Amino acid sequence: MHKFTIVVLLITFSLSGELLYGQSVITGKVVDRETGRSLPAANIMVQDSSYGTASNSQGSFSLKTDSLPLDLVVSFVGYQEQKVKVTEKKHRELVISLKPTVVRSEQITVTDNFEINLVEKAIDKVLSRKEQVFGHAFYRQLTQSDSIYTEFVETFYHAELSSNVIDHLKVENGRYAVIPYDSLKATMYNTNFSIFSRMELVDQYPFISTFIWPLRVDSRDYYNFYVEKRYHQEAEDAIALRFEPKKNIEGPASTGTVVITDSSHTILKLNVRVNDEDYDPVNPVAQKAETRNSILNIEFSRTTLSNDILYPNMIKVDLSYDYIKKKGLFGRTDFKRRIHSRSLLFFYDYEVDGLSQYLTENYFEGEKTDASDYRLIDKADYNPEFWKNNPIILRTPVENNVVKSFEKYGSFGKMFNSESTSRK
């Protein structure tokens, strides 16, 4: 599986579709009951369904519904699951407080090789599940060059996915904006940043990876795992394992945590951080350009569907690096920028049953995993009315200001146009 390409900034998510007559929008915020701290990327699902959303970077969420009352199930790894009944009289600006369920690591008794045995059982379980489902996802990404926002993407996808990876993405609606090239030389853009969101949870092809992924069939040869926390979950406890690369391994590696259920060996969440001087995911196109000090963070979370299999439901990516442009015979530095790119892909609806309409040879034709983002969006065409006052898309105040700034430039439309890229 092709792993990487390059650059962009943002946070948040929500649902797709136009608000139809008779539908309501439930809004609210998810917080820590003890501290009041907002919980980003909390999972909010309609009970007994495969439909839901997630909280944004400020803990807020919105969810459209055809009928009330209904029951919401709100969950977040490390917190007690909570059910909330929403009625006609009580469906605006909910505040949902979740209770932490952490047990300290010193209270956990483990046997020899407990950690790596747990990891290997979890890896085997992921690779043994071949069932695929279809889902609807919302994706947003933004790029910042020093203090200037230079790129913005919002996309609604229809996807084919397995327990381990997103196999195909088909754009239902999408838009892309790049600011015009300016005197600060700050314009940076991606051609395929969403490929980070299509990383495999368990790396089946480590020989082509650009760094040593922590979850792989030979993880014990490259990583040490340590018990960090135990979470009391409603069904069964889960254990957070911290991982670190072993000494003297060749190639860039990562650190982070993986959360696995104690008895069923199910991976709930994975956080990966690559901060290695030998790792460089960016290949600048410009002559005499180079990148340094790359830091990559990828966060996976998964949710259980009606077939009792866990599938990806949220993937966050955060990439930053120094972009250095040189000039002259002796390579004098022309300018240096710190590039910061973030994206979030969130599944808000899954189709577990009735899949025959998609199981056709041509449905995902041309929507290959390694297809460039801009080509997929261009094929879908830009529909301004779809995005105008869309009550389903929830943004933070910062994101709303960024959208206004791009609208001021008149940048929305085709992904790359002559005005925005003529001087690249």
Side-chain angles (χ1 to χ4, degrees):
M1 173 181 171
H2 181 61
K3 290 287 179 185
F4 298 124
T5 38
I6 112 167
V7 233
V8 223
L9 165 240
L10 199 265
I11 314 171
T12 164
F13 20 100
S14 271
L15 321 193
S16 129
E18 297 171 327
L19 193 65
L20 301 178
Y21 177 78
Q23 291 182 330
S24 299
V25 178
I26 302 169
T27 60
K29 189 171 186 178
V30 184
V31 299
D32 183 303
R33 180 179 298 179
E34 296 182 357
T35 66
R37 178 178 61 89
S38 61
L39 297 178
N43 199 26
I44 301 102
M45 301 294 291
V46 176
Q47 187 172 359
D48 300 324
S49 79
S50 56
Y51 179 71
T53 188
S55 58
N56 69 9
S57 61
Q58 297 181 330
S60 299
F61 69 90
S62 67
L63 179 71
K64 73 173 182 178
T65 177
D66 293 322
S67 62
L68 293 171
L70 57 75
D71 293 316
L72 297 179
V73 179
V74 184
S75 60
F76 191 84
V77 173
Y79 289 79
Q80 184 175 316
E81 181 180 280
Q82 184 173 338
K83 296 180 181 179
V84 180
K85 180 172 283 295
V86 183
T87 67
E88 292 284 354
K89 297 180 180 180
K90 180 190 170 186
H91 74 273
R92 296 186 183 277
E93 299 300 330
L94 301 170
V95 177
I96 302 171
S97 302
L98 300 185
K99 181 180 179 181
T101 60
V102 177
V103 176
R104 294 184 181 276
S105 59
E106 57 263 28
Q107 297 174 272
I108 303 172
T109 302
V110 299
T111 58
D112 290 343
N113 297 318
F114 168 81
E115 295 93 338
I116 188 60
N117 289 337
L118 181 62
V119 170
E120 290 179 339
K121 290 176 182 177
I123 289 173
D124 289 342
K125 184 171 183 178
V126 170
L127 296 181
S128 68
R129 305 311 298 253
K130 305 300 183 182
E131 299 89 341
Q132 292 182 309
V133 299
F134 292 85
H136 294 273
F138 179 68
Y139 175 83
R140 182 181 286 139
Q141 71 179 48
L142 202 75
T143 299
Q144 189 175 2
S145 178
D146 287 341
S147 61
I148 299 174
Y149 291 93
T150 59
E151 181 184 41
F152 181 87
V153 179
E154 287 183 325
T155 312
F156 287 100
Y157 285 117
H158 195 193
E160 181 183 22
L161 62 156
S162 67
S163 182
N164 191 40
V165 68
I166 299 170
D167 294 303
H168 295 96
L169 289 174
K170 186 180 182 71
V171 175
E172 296 180 297
N173 279 280
R175 63 175 181 173
Y176 187 101
V178 178
I179 67 169
Y181 191 91
D182 57 41
S183 60
L184 296 177
K185 305 175 182 178
T187 303
M188 299 295 294
Y189 56 83
N190 292 294
T191 58
N192 203 18
F193 194 73
S194 73
I195 199 167
F196 287 107
S197 301
R198 289 172 275 162
M199 295 283 293
E200 293 179 321
L201 181 67
V202 175
D203 191 353
Q204 300 182 82
Y205 308 99
F207 58 91
I208 62 173
S209 300
T210 57
F211 68 93
I212 303 172
W213 190 252
L215 300 183
R216 43 193 283 160
V217 293
D218 53 357
S219 289
R220 67 166 61 229
D221 295 334
Y222 294 93
Y223 286 93
N224 293 316
F225 294 84
Y226 309 93
V227 172
E228 188 173 70
K229 301 175 184 177
R230 179 185 290 273
Y231 300 118
H232 286 315
Q233 303 292 115
E234 184 173 346
E236 62 175 316
D237 286 359
I239 297 175
L241 300 175
R242 184 181 79 258
F243 55 85
E244 298 174 355
K246 292 186 174 182
K247 294 181 179 180
N248 303 320
I249 63 173
E250 296 183 5
S254 63
T255 59
T257 58
V258 58
V259 181
I260 305 173
T261 56
D262 193 3
S263 57
S264 65
H265 315 127
T266 298
I267 299 172
L268 301 178
K269 191 173 183 178
L270 173 66
N271 294 336
V272 177
R273 178 179 176 85
V274 186
N275 185 8
D276 191 308
E277 62 182 13
D278 294 327
Y279 174 65
D280 185 5
V282 180
N283 182 21
V285 176
Q287 293 183 351
K288 297 184 178 180
E290 62 182 48
T291 61
R292 296 177 184 172
N293 304 317
S294 298
I295 301 175
L296 174 67
N297 290 279
I298 304 178
E299 178 180 342
F300 293 78
S301 69
R302 306 165 80 216
T303 190
T304 306
L305 302 184
S306 58
N307 57 4
D308 294 327
I309 302 174
L310 271 80
Y311 292 92
N313 80 315
M314 188 277 296
I315 302 171
K316 293 170 62 177
V317 180
D318 192 314
L319 173 65
S320 60
Y321 56 90
D322 294 329
Y323 178 79
I324 302 170
K325 186 72 166 60
K326 297 184 177 182
K327 66 178 181 179
L329 180 63
F330 299 102
R332 182 172 61 88
T333 297
D334 184 13
F335 66 88
K336 176 181 176 181
R337 300 280 181 264
R338 186 64 180 175
I339 307 301
H340 192 180
S341 301
R342 295 176 187 165
S343 69
L344 185 137
L345 177 69
F346 176 73
F347 283 89
Y348 60 87
D349 196 10
Y350 298 88
E351 301 170 44
V352 180
D353 302 314
L355 302 181
S356 59
Q357 60 177 314
Y358 306 112
L359 300 180
T360 62
E361 182 178 353
N362 298 324
Y363 184 75
F364 284 104
E365 183 179 2
E367 316 300 334
K368 296 181 179 179
T369 302
D370 57 353
S372 296
D373 295 339
Y374 78 91
R375 295 194 183 280
L376 297 180
I377 293 176
D378 272 358
K379 285 177 61 177
D381 290 326
Y382 174 52
N383 178 10
E385 291 303 314
F386 178 84
W387 306 97
K388 186 177 181 181
N389 299 321
N390 191 318
I392 302 305
I393 299 172
L394 184 65
R395 303 187 187 94
T396 65
V398 170
E399 293 162 359
N400 281 325
N401 290 334
V402 172
V403 171
K404 290 178 182 178
S405 70
F406 280 110
E407 289 175 340
K408 180 181 178 180
Y409 279 112
S411 299
F412 286 109
K414 289 294 185 180
M415 199 144 182
F416 293 114
N417 53 60
S418 58
E419 180 184 5
S420 63
T421 62
S422 59
R423 296 183 61 187
K424 288 302 289 179

